[in-house]
Amino acid sequence: MFDLTSGQIEIQLVAVVVAVACALLGVFLVLRQMAMMSDAITHSILPGIVVAFFLVQDLSSPFLIIAAAATGVLTVSLVELLNRTRLVREDAAIGIVFPALFSIGVILIARFAGGIHLDLDVVLLGEIAFVPFNRTTILGIDLGPTALVMMTIILVINVLFVTLFYKELKLATFDAGLAAALGFSPVIIHYSLMSLVSVTAVGAFDAVGAILVVALIVGPPVTAYLLTDRLWLMLVLSAGIGVAVAILGYWLARYLDASIAGSMATMTGVIFIAGYLFAPYRGLIAIALRRRRQRWEFAGTMLAIHLLNHEGLPSAQQENRIDHLQDHLNWDSRFAEHVVRWAERHGSLTRQNSHLFLTEKGRQRAREAIVR
Amino acid sequence: MTAPASAQTPAIAVRDLTVAYDDRPVLWDVDLDVPHSVLMAIVGPNGAGKTTMIKAMLNLVRPAAGQVEILGQSYQKSRHQVGYVPQRGSVDWDFPTNVLDVVLMGRYGALGWIRRPGEADRKLALQALEKVSMADFAERQISQLSGGQQQRVFLARALVQDAQVYLMDEPFQGVDATTERAIITILKDLRSAGKTVVCVHHDLQTVPDYFDWVALLNVRKIASGPVAEVFNDTNLRLAYGGRVAFLSRDSAAPATAQPTPDYED
């Protein structure tokens, strides 16, 4: 069916590895209500990368990653420093810090790196299609595209981080106070997480660029959050959604003959909207159906209570008739007919001519409702 | 076990404690001794520094001056002997986890880094849930709990810490009468078992019924000691100023006004 070249497979592999690495860390950013910090970090590490690039003149040097991680941590500290003055709120502090650092990076590139390999479009948008051309060889053996090697190492580090320190991450995210009281420094956990986000972001630059990496960090976890209420499952689902986004995005780009990074980011949006609509419990449709069912249940209970109150009394002749529900319960005849049918289907009443009689199940329903 | 429980060392000793947020003092030079095996209330008006006091005992805020010793040692050394119940509102109850998992967090301190809770820990957590009558809720998603149930879960989490000293920030906040009775029964059981329990508390009327020891706080310490000796009009007026109306001079339940719960940080 598809005749895949090794280049195509490699591109998709890089996309998958990047997406999963981002999605795992994103879970904790989203749960810590720090999703926008990823936006800040991915932008503000630019000057770190540029400066490191000037020093080593090699875009795939591990030194760039270290410099990026340091700049990411610097960003987080600056935001917290501003925030702690109580003069600037956190969201505004993010809005001050990252454009400042990012613009320094932009100026550095424009002024000093105009003609060379480090070009702004690549940093901002990435170009995953070029990934197979830049390869890593050790002792003459081709290990694969450099981006794939680098991102795989980063992915392994991220997986180890969230599995080894799963318990600590969970506690520090849910209850930082208890974490500190029990001796699990939330500050160390916080900065470790932020450093890894920075490292992952710089690794992901090649593939998706600085802007779209945010979509991969935030999109899959937010969708996973709609689908589950278990943290470990949220991590698994988030990673799975990352894989889906990467592969679907690649083929969407092929189909549209468009940017792969752009298509991947688009897919995060599409999958999020699908989750938002169809999630089994929290989705819009599930909520609407639940509301509807509750409306019928409530009306059915109300009817049962009404019938129970008049059951066996002389007034039952008048009250417990379907054509009188309009007067007594304020229901128009169509709605009354619907409710009576619903109640019949659920076995809580029977109808003889227009008279309504509770079944034992119906009486039970009414009594339980009153007691509660 | 009551290791360093010599009669001389109090369970908690606070010495010259001053805590300030920026230049605003929240606690001014507080000295406070909490003896072993008491159930103590910390009371005081909003912004009196009650939560800060608990946090300073737990080393969660850095004091400007002074120190706290728990069981005769610094908090770092006595950490495993201290159980903590934070304010219910301090965490995100939409966090994706269930009741049992939250209770298990109380075991993390004993487990240390990286090690995961095992079957023995699960058993302890289930026993603690049993004690707070929440065993049926073990698998329940925490966002589906009522306020009282949340408070019981937090209490169970502190119980599995199996501590000597318990520090609780408003354990009765937003709970119904049944839960309040259930909680106070557990706290009194802890005291009977020789534990020391300190609670930030707001309902002045219940202080004489629930507690045997009390500290009145309003940035500085007004008084502390047995409820019968220090929980009187004079001290309450000193702590609350004119904000509390008093029934009578020597009533056992002197105060009528219930200050609304506050959320200091």
Side-chain angles (χ1 to χ4, degrees):
Chain A
M1 194 168 62
F2 295 115
D3 195 14
L4 287 176
T5 65
S6 70
Q8 289 172 332
I9 292 173
E10 280 170 0
I11 290 171
Q12 289 181 72
L13 267 179
V14 171
V16 165
V17 171
V18 167
V20 173
C22 291
L24 288 177
L25 299 184
V27 165
F28 292 101
L29 286 182
V30 166
L31 290 176
R32 290 164 159 259
Q33 299 172 4
M34 300 190 69
M36 286 321 287
M37 196 61 104
S38 65
D39 197 24
I41 289 176
T42 51
H43 284 79
S44 59
I45 56 181
L46 184 63
I49 295 174
V50 175
V51 170
F53 177 70
F54 287 158
L55 294 177
V56 296
Q57 295 291 323
D58 176 8
L59 204 50
S60 57
S61 157
F63 188 60
L64 259 65
I65 294 187
I66 295 164
T71 327
V73 169
L74 175 73
T75 309
V76 176
S77 337
L78 284 177
V79 168
E80 280 176 8
L81 199 71
L82 269 180
N83 192 26
R84 212 173 303 149
T85 61
R86 295 180 185 222
L87 300 173
V88 183
R89 283 177 189 277
E90 190 179 39
D91 57 340
I94 289 176
I96 292 168
V97 170
F98 96 70
L101 289 171
F102 183 64
S103 55
I104 291 172
V106 171
I107 292 173
L108 285 176
I109 292 180
R111 186 72 186 78
F112 301 110
I116 49 175
H117 182 63
L118 186 68
D119 103 51
L120 203 51
D121 282 353
V122 170
V123 172
L124 288 181
L125 301 172
E127 192 38 274
I128 199 167
F130 297 157
V131 153
F133 303 130
N134 190 1
R135 308 190 76 84
T136 294
T137 50
I138 289 178
L139 303 172
I141 304 161
D142 180 14
L143 294 178
T146 305
L148 183 58
V149 173
M150 192 167 77
M151 273 317 294
T152 305
I153 294 169
I154 292 173
L155 174 63
V156 168
I157 293 172
N158 287 359
V159 168
L160 284 177
F161 180 68
V162 298
T163 48
L164 281 181
F165 299 108
Y166 177 75
K167 161 176 128 258
E168 290 77 9
L169 281 163
K170 179 165 65 177
L171 179 60
T173 303
F174 176 64
D175 190 343
L178 184 69
L182 293 180
F184 302 104
S185 165
V187 177
I188 291 176
I189 293 169
H190 178 70
Y191 276 96
S192 310
L193 181 63
M194 293 304 150
S195 307
L196 281 184
V197 170
S198 310
V199 167
T200 308
V202 67
F205 264 17
D206 261 353
V208 292
I211 299 178
L212 297 181
V213 68
V214 178
L216 295 180
I217 290 178
V218 179
V222 169
T223 312
Y225 184 70
L226 292 171
L227 299 174
T228 180
D229 42 28
R230 293 287 176 277
L231 180 58
W232 67 267
L233 192 55
M234 186 175 164
L235 282 163
V236 171
L237 286 174
S238 184
I241 292 166
V243 172
V245 157
I247 292 174
L248 293 174
Y250 175 79
W251 289 102
L252 179 69
R254 288 280 308 256
Y255 178 72
L256 296 175
D257 192 19
S259 145
I260 297 171
S263 303
M264 280 170 64
T266 305
M267 284 316 300
T268 63
V270 169
I271 290 186
F272 171 74
I273 290 170
Y276 188 64
L277 291 176
F278 302 111
Y281 189 78
R282 293 189 197 142
L284 276 190
I285 291 172
I287 291 171
L289 287 176
R290 198 158 56 239
R291 293 243 169 87
R292 224 179 82 146
R293 201 186 62 231
Q294 281 165 351
R295 184 163 160 246
W296 291 119
E297 275 176 9
F298 179 73
T301 307
M302 206 156 100
L303 178 59
I305 292 172
H306 177 74
L307 296 179
L308 184 71
N309 279 343
H310 296 282
E311 202 172 41
L313 299 174
S315 61
Q317 280 295 324
Q318 278 301 313
E319 297 271 353
N320 293 1
R321 290 174 56 177
I322 186 163
D323 37 356
H324 279 234
L325 294 179
Q326 182 164 11
D327 303 336
H328 299 293
L329 295 178
N330 252 336
W331 290 351
D332 68 38
S333 54
R334 252 186 68 208
F335 184 73
E337 181 62 34
H338 274 295
V339 177
V340 168
R341 275 199 205 145
W342 184 92
E344 278 181 313
R345 259 205 323 279
H346 286 75
S348 58
L349 61 79
T350 56
R351 169 157 46 172
Q352 283 162 24
N353 301 322
S354 66
H355 286 272
L356 304 173
F357 297 98
L358 278 177
T359 61
E360 195 44 50
K361 195 177 162 194
R363 277 184 211 107
Q364 193 70 28
R365 182 189 188 88
R367 286 195 198 105
E368 274 171 15
I370 293 170
V371 168
R372 222 188 308 142
Chain B
M1 114 185 178
T2 38
S6 72
Q8 288 80 22
T9 32
I12 306 171
V14 178
R15 294 278 167 270
D16 309 312
L17 182 73
T18 296
V19 181
Y21 294 131
D22 300 323
D23 56 351
R24 188 171 60 92
V26 193
L27 289 172
W28 251 149
D29 198 31
V30 172
D31 287 292
L32 176 66
D33 278 348
V34 185
H36 289 272
S37 307
V38 296
L39 183 45
M40 185 178 99
I42 298 180
V43 298
N46 293 347
K50 305 183 292 293
T51 293
T52 304
M53 179 65 118
I54 295 266
K55 286 189 170 168
M57 288 172 176
L58 290 158
N59 208 23
L60 295 179
V61 293
R62 188 194 299 269
Q67 60 215 354
V68 178
E69 283 194 345
I70 295 183
L71 304 171
Q73 293 172 307
S74 70
Y75 178 77
Q76 271 82 2
K77 289 193 179 137
S78 54
R79 171 179 288 147
H80 293 297
Q81 315 272 12
V82 182
Y84 175 37
V85 176
Q87 277 185 28
R88 185 161 60 83
S90 67
V91 303
D92 171 17
W93 289 95
D94 284 327
F95 191 84
T97 191
N98 64 15
V99 165
L100 184 65
D101 211 34
V102 170
V103 177
L104 274 172
M105 289 176 186
R107 298 293 308 152
Y108 287 9
L111 290 166
W113 288 87
I114 297 179
R115 252 176 72 201
R116 299 285 178 84
E119 202 42 52
D121 301 299
R122 278 176 62 88
K123 215 168 269 171
L124 286 170
L126 283 169
Q127 282 169 9
L129 279 172
E130 201 85 53
K131 272 187 204 154
V132 299
S133 316
M134 288 285 290
D136 294 343
F137 291 79
E139 300 295 323
R140 188 71 67 93
Q141 161 66 16
I142 58 170
S143 62
Q144 294 167 13
L145 301 177
S146 70
Q149 290 167 341
Q150 291 172 353
Q151 207 65 267
R152 285 171 191 242
V153 170
F154 263 12
L155 185 58
R157 187 177 72 172
L159 291 177
V160 299
Q161 286 187 257
D162 192 23
Q164 289 300 312
V165 173
Y166 286 91
L167 303 176
M168 307 191 178
D169 200 344
E170 298 189 41
F172 301 106
Q173 194 257 317
V175 306
D176 60 27
T178 324
T179 302
E180 183 155 333
R181 272 195 303 277
I183 293 177
I184 195 64
T185 307
I186 291 166
L187 299 192
K188 285 180 172 171
D189 287 349
L190 284 174
R191 177 185 56 194
S192 311
K195 321 278 186 179
T196 306
V197 183
V198 175
C199 297
V200 170
H201 193 61
H202 268 107
D203 183 0
L204 295 176
Q205 306 217 44
T206 52
V207 167
D209 284 344
Y210 289 178
F211 298 95
D212 56 1
W213 211 265
V214 67
L216 293 101
L217 214 61
N218 189 356
V219 183
R220 61 193 185 87
K221 187 183 81 175
I222 306 298
S224 71
V227 171
E229 287 173 27
V230 302
F231 195 68
N232 55 37
D233 282 6
T234 322
N235 286 334
L236 278 167
R237 197 167 285 126
L238 279 170
Y240 285 88
R243 288 151 73 185
V244 174
F246 300 103
L247 280 175
S248 72
R249 285 190 56 78
D250 50 0
S251 156
T256 54
Q258 289 180 25
T260 49
D262 58 346
Y263 299 92
E264 323 147 20
D265 6 86

